[in-house]
């Protein structure tokens, strides 16, 4: 299933770049070629117009999706997300809260860090946990070991749930920052409404 999704994403990227190439050709024709191609002008005008409008509409949709995908999102919606969607949401949320250069690590073998970002010249690693119960020590341990593996300045565990007392105690001792449900809700105030 995941391989099919990756193939589909690769196909969509290629399709987008072909559309962009067609858009550039349409612009070149519109600005420079119309005077030289009189016999085909009517058909080429239509093709150029369709290519330009399609490219503009696709880009408008992509921009809207990127910037307003999680608009007016409530915690109940976050609770219903799948793991990968929750990670994408966390990337968007962190960006809205001042983190730059955000990147996700590979899904398997991520060494305990799902997202790496920079804020105030510090590299921070995030372990994202969408849970229905309490998050325990394992997430804190993974974030801490991921911090060492990626040579990060800080490690954080971000969840839509709560942490066990043992996890809080371990996080304090290891210097891992915990972002629980109330703190997540505060971060969500920066989402567009």
């Amino acid at each position: 299933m995941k391989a099919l999704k990756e193939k589909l994403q690769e196909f969509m990227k290629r399709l987008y770049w072909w559309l962009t190439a067609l858009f550039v050709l349409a612009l070149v024709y519109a600005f420079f070629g119309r005077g030289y191609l009189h016999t085909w002008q009517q058909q080429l005008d239509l093709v150029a117009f369709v290519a330009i409008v399609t490219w503009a509409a696709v880009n408008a949709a992509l921009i809207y999706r990127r910037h307003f995908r999680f608009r007016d999102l409530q915690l109940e919606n976050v609770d219903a997300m799948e793991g990968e969607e929750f990670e994408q949401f966390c990337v968007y949320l962190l960006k809205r809260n001042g983190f730059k250069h955000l990147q996700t690590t590979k899904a398997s073998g991520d060494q305990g860090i799902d997202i790496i970002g920079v804020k105030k010249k510090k590299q921070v690693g995030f372990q994202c946990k969408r849970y229905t119960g309490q998050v325990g020590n394992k997430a804190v341990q993974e974030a801490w070991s991921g911090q060492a593996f990626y040579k990060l300045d800080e490690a954080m565990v971000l969840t839509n749930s709560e942490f066990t007392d043992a996890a809080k105690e371990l996080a304090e001792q290891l210097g891992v920052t915990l972002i629980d449900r109330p703190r997540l809700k505060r971060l969500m105030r920066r989402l567009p409404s």
Side-chain angles (χ1 to χ4, degrees):
M1 183 70 175
K2 195 167 197 171
L4 179 66
K5 187 175 181 181
E6 288 174 3
K7 285 181 181 181
L8 182 63
Q9 286 176 337
E10 185 63 33
F11 172 75
M12 294 304 284
K13 283 181 186 177
R14 285 186 181 168
L15 186 63
Y16 176 79
W17 288 113
W18 277 107
L19 180 62
T20 301
L22 186 61
F23 168 76
V24 170
L25 285 174
L27 285 181
V28 168
Y29 164 76
F31 286 114
F32 304 110
R34 288 188 79 225
Y36 302 106
L37 302 168
H38 297 293
T39 42
W40 295 91
Q41 187 172 3
Q42 191 174 8
Q43 291 86 356
L44 289 175
D45 283 352
L46 179 62
V47 170
F49 175 76
V50 169
I52 291 169
V53 168
T54 303
W55 186 85
V58 165
N59 279 289
L62 290 172
I63 289 170
Y64 180 83
R65 184 177 186 272
R66 182 174 182 182
H67 292 288
F68 297 105
R69 181 175 175 193
F70 299 110
R71 182 182 192 151
D72 296 326
L73 193 69
Q74 301 298 316
L75 273 172
E76 294 76 28
N77 303 110
V78 175
D79 294 339
M81 289 179 179
E82 294 296 322
E84 190 176 316
E85 185 183 10
F86 182 66
E87 278 185 28
Q88 293 170 358
F89 166 68
C90 289
V91 169
Y92 182 79
L93 184 65
L94 294 169
K95 185 178 278 189
R96 296 291 297 190
N97 280 275
F99 282 87
K100 308 274 186 223
H101 311 293
L102 291 158
Q103 62 187 39
T104 56
T105 59
K106 57 185 176 179
S108 61
D110 63 13
Q111 302 298 331
I113 297 293
D114 299 314
I115 302 169
I116 298 173
V118 177
K119 187 172 184 179
K120 298 181 183 175
K121 298 182 181 180
K122 287 186 176 182
Q123 274 199 310
V124 182
F126 293 89
Q127 170 72 262
C128 302
K129 292 291 185 189
R130 195 210 47 81
Y131 262 46
T132 51
Q134 289 188 319
V135 179
N137 281 358
K138 185 178 180 203
V140 176
Q141 292 166 345
E142 289 174 351
W144 183 69
S145 66
Q147 177 183 358
F149 180 82
Y150 290 106
K151 297 176 178 64
L152 303 170
D153 300 312
E154 291 180 38
M156 296 185 184
V157 181
L158 195 153
T159 186
N160 64 317
S161 186
E162 303 289 335
F163 293 95
T164 63
D165 290 337
K168 291 175 186 176
E169 185 180 326
L170 181 63
E172 187 175 324
Q173 192 171 28
L174 296 177
V176 175
T177 304
L178 302 180
I179 300 173
D180 58 1
R181 192 173 185 87
R183 287 187 69 188
L184 178 66
K185 191 169 185 168
R186 284 195 297 273
L187 291 174
M188 288 175 63
R189 290 181 189 157
R190 293 194 181 252
L191 293 177
S193 56

